[in-house]
Amino acid sequence: MTKKQRALEIIEKLKAEYPDAGCTLDYDQAWKLLVSVRLAAQCTDARVNVVVEKLYEKYPDVNALAEAPVEKIEEIVHPCGLGNSKARDISACMKMLRDEYGGRVPEDFQKLLALPGVGRKSANLIMGDVFGKPAIVTDTHCIRLVNRMGLVDGIKEPAKVEKELWKIIPPQEGSDFCHRLVEHGRAVCTARTKPYCDRCCLQNICRKAGV
């Protein structure tokens, strides 16, 4: 079985297992997803969803957040960890959205990467979830699982994993595939315990099932 054949089978089985998988960060506007994904670094999505409620109560739009003192942003977001650097990035990002894009999030991958605090993972998340464009989000779940499944071979660097996955994942499937990997990584192919291979929908496909 080639990697592409394995990938297509995995995609179909994960679709059946997690038909409604999606982004677990709460947002109703693109700029809010930018804020949340920055806060989610080394923090759980559940905690981020609680913290941003307080942030948006005080600063309800791009302009308000752009004008907010960094130290005031930090006071609110510090429960997410790395409060100082995250607050600085959020402030700078909102200022750039206000000054260069009229408060709107650009629908262009390279322009997204130019925003403060936005890396490839965040840019892909925005492209896929907000704009419905082809995207592959190589978070920790994705990297761990695609190595274990045999879709990539011992590659840990996110950008390199992304590059390899683009070769075998149909573009229209990438975003949802990565969301389903997150669900599967939390529920079955876990990191902190031995994976539950006996109840895995991929046990007949995964290269390392039972290992």
Side-chain angles (χ1 to χ4, degrees):
M1 180 183 293
T2 67
K3 288 181 180 178
K4 191 163 190 175
Q5 290 171 330
R6 178 179 283 117
L8 293 175
E9 286 200 37
I10 289 172
I11 287 169
E12 292 308 310
K13 287 187 176 293
L14 290 179
K15 274 186 184 180
E17 193 75 7
Y18 310 101
D20 301 319
C23 182
T24 52
L25 292 167
D26 295 337
Y27 70 98
D28 56 9
Q29 297 178 66
W31 69 271
K32 290 183 178 180
L33 183 55
L34 272 178
V35 170
S36 289
V37 74
R38 180 65 187 96
L39 293 176
Q42 299 182 40
C43 182
T44 65
D45 289 359
R47 175 170 290 182
V48 171
N49 289 338
V50 171
V51 169
V52 293
E53 287 186 12
K54 299 176 183 177
L55 186 67
Y56 302 148
E57 282 176 11
K58 192 164 187 178
Y59 308 110
D61 54 40
V62 170
N63 288 339
L65 199 49
E67 293 168 6
V70 173
E71 59 270 19
K72 294 297 183 182
I73 299 174
E74 183 180 0
E75 286 177 8
I76 298 173
V77 305
H78 81 271
C80 295
L82 305 174
N84 185 259
S85 63
K86 290 180 179 180
R88 287 199 312 270
D89 284 342
I90 289 169
S91 176
C93 183
M94 294 303 109
K95 284 181 170 66
M96 195 165 172
L97 290 183
R98 178 195 64 189
D99 297 341
E100 297 189 24
Y101 300 108
R104 299 178 65 85
V105 175
E107 191 175 340
D108 178 273
F109 191 77
Q110 294 304 320
K111 290 179 179 178
L112 286 170
L113 285 180
L115 294 172
V118 177
R120 294 190 67 86
K121 182 178 78 170
S122 302
N124 270 300
L125 185 64
I126 296 291
M127 291 300 288
D129 280 44
V130 174
F131 299 121
K133 299 292 182 67
I136 290 178
V137 181
T138 49
D139 64 2
T140 54
H141 287 291
C142 173
I143 293 169
R144 179 169 55 82
L145 267 63
V146 296
N147 272 280
R148 184 173 179 84
M149 294 170 180
L151 299 184
V152 301
D153 300 310
I155 305 173
K156 304 298 184 183
E157 299 89 339
K160 291 182 180 180
V161 172
E162 180 189 336
K163 182 179 178 181
E164 291 304 306
L165 291 179
W166 278 120
K167 298 175 183 177
I168 59 174
I169 304 294
Q172 71 275 14
E173 299 286 358
S175 182
D176 288 340
F177 172 65
C178 292
H179 285 316
R180 292 185 175 108
L181 288 179
V182 172
E183 294 283 341
H184 195 62
R186 289 172 176 167
V188 178
C189 197
T190 54
R192 297 187 179 182
T193 64
K194 186 176 180 180
Y196 301 102
C197 296
D198 58 320
R199 54 184 174 88
C200 178
C201 64
L202 305 174
Q203 60 181 287
N204 295 324
I205 307 171
C206 177
R207 184 177 63 182
K208 293 189 177 179
V211 176

